[in-house]
Tab-separated table of all heavy atoms in Angstrom:
chain	number	residue	atom	x	y	z
A	3	LEU	N	-13.090	-5.724	15.788
A	3	LEU	CA	-12.227	-5.914	14.591
A	3	LEU	C	-11.880	-4.616	13.866
A	3	LEU	O	-10.773	-4.377	13.439
A	3	LEU	CB	-12.845	-6.889	13.621
A	3	LEU	CG	-12.945	-8.339	14.139
A	3	LEU	CD1	-13.710	-9.217	13.137
A	3	LEU	CD2	-11.528	-8.984	14.338
A	4	ALA	N	-12.889	-3.654	13.815
A	4	ALA	CA	-12.602	-2.389	13.157
A	4	ALA	C	-11.614	-1.605	13.924
A	4	ALA	O	-10.662	-1.007	13.409
A	4	ALA	CB	-13.914	-1.653	12.987
A	5	PHE	N	-11.812	-1.568	15.262
A	5	PHE	CA	-10.914	-0.844	16.133
A	5	PHE	C	-9.519	-1.421	16.050
A	5	PHE	O	-8.494	-0.782	15.933
A	5	PHE	CB	-11.430	-0.813	17.538
A	5	PHE	CG	-10.478	-0.105	18.536
A	5	PHE	CD1	-10.276	1.240	18.546
A	5	PHE	CD2	-9.676	-0.869	19.376
A	5	PHE	CE1	-9.449	1.877	19.408
A	5	PHE	CE2	-8.821	-0.239	20.277
A	5	PHE	CZ	-8.700	1.100	20.277
A	6	SER	N	-9.427	-2.750	16.102
A	6	SER	CA	-8.150	-3.453	16.030
A	6	SER	C	-7.473	-3.210	14.707
A	6	SER	O	-6.229	-3.105	14.664
A	6	SER	CB	-8.402	-5.003	16.202
A	6	SER	OG	-8.969	-5.232	17.437
A	7	GLN	N	-8.235	-3.129	13.645
A	7	GLN	CA	-7.666	-2.828	12.344
A	7	GLN	C	-6.881	-1.536	12.381
A	7	GLN	O	-5.801	-1.391	11.799
A	7	GLN	CB	-8.750	-2.816	11.221
A	7	GLN	CG	-8.238	-2.506	9.859
A	7	GLN	CD	-7.201	-3.524	9.332
A	7	GLN	OE1	-7.305	-4.721	9.666
A	7	GLN	NE2	-6.343	-3.121	8.533
A	8	LEU	N	-7.406	-0.531	13.057
A	8	LEU	CA	-6.708	0.786	13.187
A	8	LEU	C	-5.385	0.609	13.852
A	8	LEU	O	-4.372	1.157	13.479
A	8	LEU	CB	-7.593	1.739	13.990
A	8	LEU	CG	-8.799	2.260	13.239
A	8	LEU	CD1	-9.627	3.128	14.200
A	8	LEU	CD2	-8.424	3.002	12.006
A	9	LEU	N	-5.380	-0.176	14.930
A	9	LEU	CA	-4.137	-0.440	15.658
A	9	LEU	C	-3.182	-1.297	14.847
A	9	LEU	O	-2.020	-0.996	14.762
A	9	LEU	CB	-4.458	-1.203	16.998
A	9	LEU	CG	-5.242	-0.429	18.025
A	9	LEU	CD1	-5.558	-1.337	19.219
A	9	LEU	CD2	-4.464	0.805	18.442
A	10	TRP	N	-3.695	-2.286	14.153
A	10	TRP	CA	-2.852	-3.185	13.356
A	10	TRP	C	-2.244	-2.481	12.156
A	10	TRP	O	-1.116	-2.752	11.752
A	10	TRP	CB	-3.595	-4.372	12.809
A	10	TRP	CG	-4.185	-5.262	13.876
A	10	TRP	CD1	-3.782	-5.435	15.160
A	10	TRP	CD2	-5.381	-6.038	13.717
A	10	TRP	NE1	-4.607	-6.270	15.755
A	10	TRP	CE2	-5.618	-6.627	14.995
A	10	TRP	CE3	-6.276	-6.273	12.727
A	10	TRP	CZ2	-6.686	-7.505	15.170
A	10	TRP	CZ3	-7.308	-7.092	12.929
A	10	TRP	CH2	-7.492	-7.756	14.155
A	11	SER	N	-2.935	-1.496	11.611
A	11	SER	CA	-2.408	-0.906	10.426
A	11	SER	C	-1.403	0.168	10.650
A	11	SER	O	-0.647	0.534	9.804
A	11	SER	CB	-3.607	-0.288	9.564
A	11	SER	OG	-4.214	0.704	10.347
A	12	TRP	N	-1.302	0.635	11.896
A	12	TRP	CA	-0.376	1.765	12.147
A	12	TRP	C	1.055	1.397	11.785
A	12	TRP	O	1.697	2.069	11.025
A	12	TRP	CB	-0.448	2.148	13.625
A	12	TRP	CG	0.572	3.211	13.938
A	12	TRP	CD1	0.541	4.545	13.601
A	12	TRP	CD2	1.786	3.020	14.657
A	12	TRP	NE1	1.683	5.122	14.005
A	12	TRP	CE2	2.463	4.264	14.663
A	12	TRP	CE3	2.359	1.926	15.243
A	12	TRP	CZ2	3.647	4.376	15.292
A	12	TRP	CZ3	3.634	2.014	15.844
A	12	TRP	CH2	4.235	3.298	15.876
A	13	PRO	N	1.598	0.206	12.301
A	13	PRO	CA	2.992	-0.081	11.957
A	13	PRO	C	3.189	-0.324	10.416
A	13	PRO	O	4.133	0.151	9.842
A	13	PRO	CB	3.311	-1.371	12.673
A	13	PRO	CG	2.333	-1.297	13.833
A	13	PRO	CD	1.100	-0.660	13.258
A	14	ALA	N	2.179	-0.937	9.766
A	14	ALA	CA	2.211	-1.225	8.375
A	14	ALA	C	2.229	0.125	7.569
A	14	ALA	O	2.899	0.236	6.609
A	14	ALA	CB	1.149	-2.172	7.915
A	15	GLU	N	1.421	1.071	8.022
A	15	GLU	CA	1.350	2.306	7.263
A	15	GLU	C	2.692	3.101	7.396
A	15	GLU	O	3.146	3.716	6.481
A	15	GLU	CB	0.205	3.169	7.798
A	15	GLU	CG	-1.128	2.676	7.421
A	15	GLU	CD	-2.273	3.463	8.081
A	15	GLU	OE1	-2.012	4.397	8.730
A	15	GLU	OE2	-3.408	3.031	7.870
A	16	SER	N	3.318	3.079	8.597
A	16	SER	CA	4.575	3.749	8.759
A	16	SER	C	5.660	3.166	7.893
A	16	SER	O	6.594	3.760	7.460
A	16	SER	CB	4.998	3.835	10.224
A	16	SER	OG	5.263	2.531	10.719
A	17	ALA	N	5.524	1.835	7.706
A	17	ALA	CA	6.499	1.089	6.897
A	17	ALA	C	6.207	1.281	5.449
A	17	ALA	O	7.147	1.084	4.618
A	17	ALA	CB	6.494	-0.400	7.273
A	18	ALA	N	5.003	1.694	5.040
A	18	ALA	CA	4.658	1.740	3.607
A	18	ALA	C	5.483	2.810	2.870
A	18	ALA	O	5.531	2.799	1.672
A	18	ALA	CB	3.218	2.024	3.555
A	19	ILE	N	6.159	3.761	3.591
A	19	ILE	CA	6.993	4.729	2.948
A	19	ILE	C	8.093	4.020	2.105
A	19	ILE	O	8.356	4.477	1.071
A	19	ILE	CB	7.629	5.673	4.071
A	19	ILE	CG1	6.481	6.437	4.709
A	19	ILE	CG2	8.673	6.596	3.465
A	19	ILE	CD1	6.963	7.152	5.979
A	20	ASP	N	8.609	2.954	2.611
A	20	ASP	CA	9.653	2.252	1.967
A	20	ASP	C	9.066	1.296	0.851
A	20	ASP	O	9.836	0.867	0.034
A	20	ASP	CB	10.459	1.410	2.920
A	20	ASP	CG	11.183	2.287	3.903
A	20	ASP	OD1	11.551	3.370	3.655
A	20	ASP	OD2	11.401	1.767	5.118
A	21	GLY	N	7.833	1.011	0.960
A	21	GLY	CA	7.216	0.028	0.003
A	21	GLY	C	7.417	-1.353	0.509
A	21	GLY	O	8.322	-1.649	1.316
A	22	PRO	N	6.600	-2.241	0.096
A	22	PRO	CA	6.698	-3.603	0.628
A	22	PRO	C	7.952	-4.350	0.101
A	22	PRO	O	8.279	-4.261	-1.053
A	22	PRO	CB	5.450	-4.305	0.088
A	22	PRO	CG	5.041	-3.525	-1.064
A	22	PRO	CD	5.500	-2.093	-0.808
A	23	LYS	N	8.540	-5.102	0.983
A	23	LYS	CA	9.603	-6.027	0.606
A	23	LYS	C	9.025	-7.325	0.157
A	23	LYS	O	9.519	-8.005	-0.767
A	23	LYS	CB	10.508	-6.301	1.849
A	23	LYS	CG	11.588	-7.238	1.629
A	23	LYS	CD	12.405	-7.384	2.935
A	23	LYS	CE	13.428	-8.546	2.852
A	23	LYS	NZ	14.106	-8.620	4.147
A	24	HIS	N	7.921	-7.695	0.833
A	24	HIS	CA	7.232	-8.939	0.474
A	24	HIS	C	5.745	-8.788	0.825
A	24	HIS	O	5.472	-8.246	1.856
A	24	HIS	CB	7.869	-10.097	1.333
A	24	HIS	CG	7.466	-11.466	0.892
A	24	HIS	ND1	7.911	-12.056	-0.319
A	24	HIS	CD2	6.569	-12.336	1.408
A	24	HIS	CE1	7.346	-13.229	-0.383
A	24	HIS	NE2	6.568	-13.404	0.602
A	25	GLN	N	4.861	-9.239	-0.038
A	25	GLN	CA	3.449	-9.069	0.200
A	25	GLN	C	2.670	-10.234	-0.458
A	25	GLN	O	2.890	-10.624	-1.544
A	25	GLN	CB	2.994	-7.731	-0.405
A	25	GLN	CG	1.613	-7.351	-0.133
A	25	GLN	CD	1.400	-5.942	-0.665
A	25	GLN	OE1	2.233	-5.059	-0.607
A	25	GLN	NE2	0.235	-5.680	-1.126
A	26	ILE	N	1.711	-10.837	0.301
A	26	ILE	CA	0.907	-11.911	-0.158
A	26	ILE	C	-0.506	-11.682	0.306
A	26	ILE	O	-0.712	-11.243	1.484
A	26	ILE	CB	1.373	-13.312	0.390
A	26	ILE	CG1	2.838	-13.564	-0.062
A	26	ILE	CG2	0.405	-14.399	-0.028
A	26	ILE	CD1	3.399	-14.836	0.574
A	27	PHE	N	-1.497	-11.943	-0.525
A	27	PHE	CA	-2.896	-11.924	-0.102
A	27	PHE	C	-3.579	-13.093	-0.787
A	27	PHE	O	-3.480	-13.298	-2.031
A	27	PHE	CB	-3.606	-10.622	-0.381
A	27	PHE	CG	-5.049	-10.661	-0.017
A	27	PHE	CD1	-5.323	-10.382	1.296
A	27	PHE	CD2	-6.048	-10.903	-0.891
A	27	PHE	CE1	-6.697	-10.396	1.706
A	27	PHE	CE2	-7.380	-10.986	-0.481
A	27	PHE	CZ	-7.683	-10.736	0.867
A	28	LYS	N	-4.317	-13.875	-0.056
A	28	LYS	CA	-5.115	-14.963	-0.599
A	28	LYS	C	-6.428	-15.038	0.048
A	28	LYS	O	-6.535	-14.929	1.278
A	28	LYS	CB	-4.374	-16.298	-0.403
A	28	LYS	CG	-5.082	-17.451	-1.101
A	28	LYS	CD	-4.313	-18.743	-0.928
A	28	LYS	CE	-5.087	-19.885	-1.607
A	28	LYS	NZ	-4.318	-21.121	-1.436
A	29	GLN	N	-7.581	-15.099	-0.762
A	29	GLN	CA	-8.911	-15.268	-0.146
A	29	GLN	C	-9.531	-16.511	-0.807
A	29	GLN	O	-9.507	-16.668	-1.994
A	29	GLN	CB	-9.735	-14.046	-0.401
A	29	GLN	CG	-11.115	-14.172	0.251
A	29	GLN	CD	-11.709	-12.812	0.486
A	29	GLN	OE1	-11.355	-11.806	-0.106
A	29	GLN	NE2	-12.784	-12.783	1.273
A	30	GLU	N	-10.208	-17.264	0.091
A	30	GLU	CA	-10.884	-18.493	-0.351
A	30	GLU	C	-12.339	-18.142	-0.642
A	30	GLU	O	-12.846	-17.103	-0.294
A	30	GLU	CB	-10.832	-19.570	0.758
A	30	GLU	CG	-9.474	-20.007	1.195
A	30	GLU	CD	-8.679	-20.650	0.092
A	30	GLU	OE1	-9.336	-21.273	-0.816
A	30	GLU	OE2	-7.428	-20.597	0.042
A	31	LEU	N	-12.979	-19.046	-1.364
A	31	LEU	CA	-14.415	-18.841	-1.753
A	31	LEU	C	-15.355	-18.720	-0.514
A	31	LEU	O	-16.326	-18.007	-0.572
A	31	LEU	CB	-14.904	-19.962	-2.631
A	31	LEU	CG	-14.281	-20.009	-4.052
A	31	LEU	CD1	-14.707	-21.223	-4.806
A	31	LEU	CD2	-14.456	-18.726	-4.816
A	32	ASP	N	-14.969	-19.394	0.606
A	32	ASP	CA	-15.855	-19.334	1.781
A	32	ASP	C	-15.655	-18.056	2.603
A	32	ASP	O	-16.346	-17.826	3.556
A	32	ASP	CB	-15.608	-20.587	2.650
A	32	ASP	CG	-14.230	-20.597	3.338
A	32	ASP	OD1	-13.418	-19.743	3.109
A	32	ASP	OD2	-14.044	-21.490	4.181
A	33	GLY	N	-14.731	-17.166	2.153
A	33	GLY	CA	-14.463	-15.928	2.866
A	33	GLY	C	-13.242	-15.968	3.742
A	33	GLY	O	-12.761	-14.935	4.253
A	34	SER	N	-12.665	-17.152	3.991
A	34	SER	CA	-11.403	-17.259	4.774
A	34	SER	C	-10.321	-16.526	3.987
A	34	SER	O	-10.386	-16.409	2.776
A	34	SER	CB	-11.009	-18.722	5.002
A	34	SER	OG	-12.007	-19.370	5.714
A	35	TYR	N	-9.319	-16.056	4.674
A	35	TYR	CA	-8.235	-15.274	4.018
A	35	TYR	C	-6.939	-15.422	4.776
A	35	TYR	O	-6.864	-15.840	5.900
A	35	TYR	CB	-8.665	-13.804	3.891
A	35	TYR	CG	-8.745	-13.101	5.233
A	35	TYR	CD1	-7.602	-12.474	5.821
A	35	TYR	CD2	-9.924	-13.089	5.973
A	35	TYR	CE1	-7.682	-11.823	7.027
A	35	TYR	CE2	-9.986	-12.492	7.158
A	35	TYR	CZ	-8.869	-11.867	7.655
A	35	TYR	OH	-8.914	-11.201	8.926
A	36	PHE	N	-5.879	-15.010	4.100
A	36	PHE	CA	-4.572	-14.906	4.586
A	36	PHE	C	-3.825	-13.791	3.932
A	36	PHE	O	-3.941	-13.549	2.764
A	36	PHE	CB	-3.728	-16.206	4.353
A	36	PHE	CG	-2.277	-16.104	4.646
A	36	PHE	CD1	-1.832	-16.263	5.941
A	36	PHE	CD2	-1.375	-15.829	3.632
A	36	PHE	CE1	-0.475	-16.091	6.213
A	36	PHE	CE2	-0.012	-15.655	3.952
A	36	PHE	CZ	0.404	-15.866	5.190
A	37	PHE	N	-3.096	-12.944	4.748
A	37	PHE	CA	-2.224	-11.984	4.145
A	37	PHE	C	-0.920	-11.797	4.935
A	37	PHE	O	-0.876	-12.124	6.139
A	37	PHE	CB	-2.935	-10.659	3.879
A	37	PHE	CG	-3.149	-9.799	5.127
A	37	PHE	CD1	-2.145	-9.054	5.749
A	37	PHE	CD2	-4.397	-9.857	5.730
A	37	PHE	CE1	-2.414	-8.237	6.775
A	37	PHE	CE2	-4.715	-9.024	6.814
A	37	PHE	CZ	-3.673	-8.277	7.380
A	38	LEU	N	0.060	-11.417	4.238
A	38	LEU	CA	1.360	-11.162	4.835
A	38	LEU	C	1.985	-9.896	4.176
A	38	LEU	O	1.849	-9.637	3.028
A	38	LEU	CB	2.289	-12.378	4.535
A	38	LEU	CG	3.786	-12.203	4.944
A	38	LEU	CD1	4.197	-13.412	5.774
A	38	LEU	CD2	4.577	-12.143	3.669
A	39	TYR	N	2.691	-9.062	5.020
A	39	TYR	CA	3.251	-7.880	4.579
A	39	TYR	C	4.553	-7.746	5.336
A	39	TYR	O	4.636	-7.837	6.546
A	39	TYR	CB	2.379	-6.657	4.892
A	39	TYR	CG	2.970	-5.398	4.477
A	39	TYR	CD1	2.686	-4.786	3.242
A	39	TYR	CD2	3.775	-4.671	5.358
A	39	TYR	CE1	3.302	-3.589	2.922
A	39	TYR	CE2	4.310	-3.450	5.019
A	39	TYR	CZ	4.088	-2.906	3.785
A	39	TYR	OH	4.608	-1.709	3.442
A	40	GLU	N	5.663	-7.502	4.573
A	40	GLU	CA	6.917	-7.269	5.216
A	40	GLU	C	7.561	-6.081	4.546
A	40	GLU	O	7.585	-5.997	3.306
A	40	GLU	CB	7.835	-8.520	5.109
A	40	GLU	CG	9.161	-8.388	5.720
A	40	GLU	CD	9.995	-9.626	5.615
A	40	GLU	OE1	9.599	-10.533	4.892
A	40	GLU	OE2	11.047	-9.670	6.242
A	41	SER	N	8.161	-5.155	5.321
A	41	SER	CA	8.748	-3.940	4.689
A	41	SER	C	10.319	-4.027	4.896
A	41	SER	O	10.782	-4.823	5.670
A	41	SER	CB	8.261	-2.670	5.351
A	41	SER	OG	8.802	-2.613	6.650
A	42	PRO	N	11.005	-3.256	4.143
A	42	PRO	CA	12.512	-3.293	4.233
A	42	PRO	C	12.935	-2.880	5.537
A	42	PRO	O	14.088	-3.240	5.972
A	42	PRO	CB	12.913	-2.274	3.167
A	42	PRO	CG	11.741	-2.218	2.127
A	42	PRO	CD	10.523	-2.501	2.969
A	43	ASN	N	12.231	-2.047	6.316
A	43	ASN	CA	12.734	-1.641	7.643
A	43	ASN	C	12.446	-2.604	8.765
A	43	ASN	O	12.668	-2.257	9.931
A	43	ASN	CB	12.104	-0.201	7.985
A	43	ASN	CG	10.629	-0.274	8.334
A	43	ASN	OD1	10.018	-1.378	8.320
A	43	ASN	ND2	10.008	0.801	8.553
A	44	GLY	N	11.943	-3.751	8.399
A	44	GLY	CA	11.734	-4.794	9.466
A	44	GLY	C	10.327	-4.956	9.972
A	44	GLY	O	10.008	-5.866	10.671
A	45	SER	N	9.414	-3.984	9.600
A	45	SER	CA	8.054	-4.103	9.992
A	45	SER	C	7.394	-5.338	9.336
A	45	SER	O	7.747	-5.595	8.157
A	45	SER	CB	7.287	-2.840	9.651
A	45	SER	OG	7.735	-1.774	10.382
A	46	TYR	N	6.520	-5.994	10.046
A	46	TYR	CA	6.018	-7.252	9.485
A	46	TYR	C	4.559	-7.456	10.025
A	46	TYR	O	4.236	-6.997	11.154
A	46	TYR	CB	6.884	-8.339	10.106
A	46	TYR	CG	6.387	-9.730	9.751
A	46	TYR	CD1	6.706	-10.350	8.473
A	46	TYR	CD2	5.656	-10.497	10.648
A	46	TYR	CE1	6.279	-11.646	8.234
A	46	TYR	CE2	5.210	-11.769	10.339
A	46	TYR	CZ	5.568	-12.325	9.099
A	46	TYR	OH	5.118	-13.646	8.814
A	47	ARG	N	3.669	-7.949	9.210
A	47	ARG	CA	2.331	-8.239	9.605
A	47	ARG	C	1.801	-9.462	8.874
A	47	ARG	O	2.002	-9.505	7.654
A	47	ARG	CB	1.440	-7.062	9.337
A	47	ARG	CG	0.022	-7.211	9.853
A	47	ARG	CD	-0.752	-5.986	9.715
A	47	ARG	NE	-2.178	-6.213	9.908
A	47	ARG	CZ	-3.166	-5.485	9.454
A	47	ARG	NH1	-2.852	-4.435	8.726
A	47	ARG	NH2	-4.380	-5.796	9.729
A	48	GLU	N	1.158	-10.301	9.579
A	48	GLU	CA	0.593	-11.539	9.028
A	48	GLU	C	-0.730	-11.810	9.740
A	48	GLU	O	-0.863	-11.654	10.871
A	48	GLU	CB	1.571	-12.738	9.227
A	48	GLU	CG	1.148	-14.035	8.722
A	48	GLU	CD	2.177	-15.102	8.927
A	48	GLU	OE1	3.338	-14.781	8.991
A	48	GLU	OE2	1.713	-16.268	8.967
């Protein structure tokens, strides 16, 4: 998961220059979570 996080964050970091177009983060009490990030240049992560 840590190694994958490095890979997953690369596109989001390059898109962060423009700032997020849409961003959501939700965490439940049991530790479950959901997040979404979309940038103006079309990069997307969920």
Side-chain angles (χ1 to χ4, degrees):
L3 290 174
F5 177 73
S6 300
Q7 179 64 30
L8 291 174
L9 294 175
W10 300 332
S11 65
W12 177 76
E15 287 174 6
S16 65
I19 296 169
D20 297 330
K23 175 180 173 183
H24 192 74
Q25 186 171 324
I26 299 172
F27 180 81
K28 182 176 181 182
Q29 185 161 13
E30 301 295 333
L31 293 175
D32 70 354
S34 298
Y35 66 91
F36 168 80
F37 72 82
L38 173 126
Y39 177 93
E40 183 180 6
S41 73
N43 71 2
S45 295
Y46 176 83
R47 184 171 169 206
E48 182 177 331

